[in-house]
Amino acid sequence: MIEITVPPSKSVTQRALVLAALSPGRSRIVSPLDCDDSRALLEALGALGIRASRLHDSIELHGGGPLLEPRAPLLLGNAGTAVRFSAALSLLAEGPVEIDGDEAMRRRPMPGLLGALGDLGAQVEELGRPSCPPVRILPPSYLDPTRGEVTLDPSASSQQVSALMLVGPRLPRGLRIRVQGPLPSRPYVDLTAQLLGSFGALVEMTTAPGGLTVITVARGGLAPREYEVEGDHSSASYPLAAGFLTGIPVRVTNTSPGSLQGDRVFGALLEKLSAPAPAPAEGPRVFDLADTPDIAPTLATCALFAEGPSLLTGCELLRLKESDRLAVLARGFEAVGADLDELPGGLLIRPRPLAGHATLDPARDHRMAMCFALLGLRLPSIEVSDKSCVSKSYPGFFQMLERFSALVEPSPSTPEGR
């Protein structure tokens, strides 16, 4: 058995940093994830006047004061969480905040969030594509106590909802969010509510008639604290997938089965994928991944080597991530001979013997690079053209993968067995 310690949770780290910045006094975030995205968010918080100090295994933040007007645009690369959280934080700033990202980020819309900021009194100037960075946000001269409710469509990303929730305790009336339509990636919103509660805020989530989700964040309540970040279930999917592909037993040492991270279900999904192939009349196995889109690419990689076809659905948001992940996956898998259909919101994968000897382009997307590298455990001569992008979330990924590679030799693929 191989025991793996995965990186701390990126989602938890980002939320804890923001809440520490908004809580009055000194907070300490223990075992935060040190990656491109958390560095981008820390730079944004620093530009807004938050003092942060890196210690051996933690980050100490002094928060609770007014957020300053940044002296320059916040250049946040392809860090979607940092961009959306910074946009919400701009509501509390003393002056205008300009937020920008790289070319990929400039194609990632956040219409619900920008519209909600306008409803709360901010002036939003779109400097590029509609609803995408770069944007310049001029906060209201004072936060109007009569404006404490917004309605938004979160279909582009649940991060828009989380961003608003995080600033809710600092608004004069708190914040009431009416979510129109299905709430994608719901576990991430539940995680935000849990983190808010850990820092003392009161959050209530209800479902009104007709399926309308109403989230109420009470004013005040935030208090500084020491918070330890748990292991990342999204990152845990990669060693678990490596175990599936090689037949080597794996134990991830630092994740909790009781976590609110939605991606904790990956092990159960692998069990379903390992079952005997369904009868032809039953059709393919179906995986609805609307709540857990980040692990859809990892599961798709494993599905190439399962018995019988698999249908992955609910993955529309993958087209709005760091890359169009459905298209990038389909292109890469087809380059090694996979039989699949790329659907508007998913993939239909029919396993068959695959060929190696391919160089796969992850389109600068960390999750695509990791999935393509996993293929190398089963296929000879697979190369990933841009390995460095894994630093966005899992800087030690290739060291982890080498532990599996050292125990197995890549061999011609068959869909039967592992």
Side-chain angles (χ1 to χ4, degrees):
M1 173 176 288
I2 294 181
E3 293 190 345
I4 300 291
T5 300
V6 296
S9 168
K10 181 162 73 79
S11 300
V12 172
T13 296
Q14 302 291 76
R15 287 157 175 78
L17 289 174
V18 171
L19 289 168
L22 296 178
S23 300
R26 182 176 64 184
S27 292
R28 183 167 173 251
I29 310 303
V30 180
S31 299
L33 175 63
D34 182 16
C35 69
D36 293 349
D37 278 19
S38 56
R39 294 187 199 116
L41 181 57
L42 278 171
E43 289 180 10
L45 292 174
L48 291 166
I50 301 299
R51 290 189 293 124
S53 303
R54 289 185 178 272
L55 306 176
H56 173 64
D57 66 340
S58 63
I59 299 174
E60 192 172 270
L61 297 96
H62 299 261
L67 300 184
L68 306 181
E69 175 185 344
R71 297 181 178 180
L74 305 182
L75 304 178
L76 302 177
N78 202 6
T81 312
V83 166
R84 292 167 183 133
F85 288 4
S86 296
L89 287 168
S90 68
L91 193 67
L92 309 175
E94 294 184 331
V97 180
E98 185 173 328
I99 301 169
D100 200 359
D102 64 10
E103 285 303 314
M105 192 68 235
R106 290 179 175 183
R107 295 190 293 271
R108 299 177 68 181
M110 47 183 180
L113 175 56
L114 297 181
L117 295 179
D119 291 342
L120 292 169
Q123 297 180 32
V124 179
E125 182 181 359
E126 298 176 354
L127 305 176
R129 298 186 184 195
S131 301
C132 296
V135 294
R136 185 174 184 268
I137 301 170
L138 179 65
S141 56
Y142 74 100
L143 290 170
D144 187 342
T146 67
R147 300 189 182 195
E149 180 171 319
V150 296
T151 300
L152 79 157
D153 174 2
S155 57
S157 172
S158 68
Q159 289 176 4
Q160 301 177 96
V161 179
S162 290
L164 290 168
M165 291 172 65
L166 291 171
V167 301
R170 290 283 296 267
L171 301 182
R173 292 178 52 198
L175 185 61
R176 181 180 171 91
I177 306 170
R178 296 167 57 86
V179 180
Q180 288 184 322
L183 182 55
S185 306
R186 170 65 183 262
Y188 286 103
V189 176
D190 293 336
L191 185 66
T192 304
Q194 182 190 58
L195 265 289
L196 278 159
S198 295
F199 279 82
L202 296 177
V203 182
E204 181 181 356
M205 302 178 65
T206 61
T207 301
L212 180 73
T213 301
V214 179
I215 304 170
T216 304
V217 183
R219 176 180 180 272
L222 290 179
R225 64 159 298 176
E226 180 174 301
Y227 188 91
E228 184 170 359
V229 179
E230 63 184 358
D232 188 64
H233 280 274
S234 303
S235 296
S237 73
Y238 302 106
L240 292 176
F244 176 92
L245 295 171
T246 61
I248 298 173
V250 179
R251 186 174 80 88
V252 178
T253 62
N254 64 327
T255 55
S256 168
S259 170
L260 284 186
Q261 296 179 55
D263 293 346
R264 68 186 182 278
V265 302
F266 188 76
L269 298 181
L270 285 184
E271 290 183 7
K272 179 178 177 179
L273 194 64
S274 300
E282 297 175 2
R285 301 180 190 85
V286 178
F287 298 89
D288 184 351
L289 300 166
D291 282 344
T292 57
D294 282 344
I295 56 174
T298 329
L299 187 67
T301 305
C302 293
L304 293 170
F305 305 95
E307 294 183 17
S310 298
L311 174 63
L312 280 60
T313 68
C315 302
E316 293 85 355
L317 286 183
L318 291 183
R319 297 195 183 277
L320 300 174
K321 297 289 187 175
E322 286 83 343
S323 69
D324 180 341
R325 287 179 176 164
L326 291 176
V328 174
L329 282 175
R331 184 166 62 245
F333 290 168
E334 287 172 345
V336 297
D339 180 13
L340 59 85
D341 293 333
E342 178 187 344
L343 309 173
L347 295 170
L348 174 59
I349 296 172
R350 295 173 288 266
R352 68 181 182 186
L354 304 178
H357 307 289
T359 298
L360 304 181
D361 179 7
R364 301 178 64 188
D365 187 327
H366 58 133
R367 299 204 186 279
M368 300 297 93
M370 290 188 279
C371 288
F372 289 161
L374 285 170
L375 288 175
L377 295 172
R378 293 291 295 269
L379 304 177
S381 304
I382 290 292
E383 294 290 336
V384 180
S385 62
D386 178 11
K387 295 181 177 181
S388 63
C389 63
V390 302
S391 64
K392 180 176 174 67
S393 64
Y394 199 156
F397 170 81
F398 283 101
Q399 289 83 351
M400 178 277 295
L401 198 65
E402 181 58 33
R403 295 182 62 185
F404 291 89
S405 300
L407 297 178
V408 296
E409 289 293 331
S411 59
S413 162
T414 58
E416 297 82 17
R418 293 182 298 283

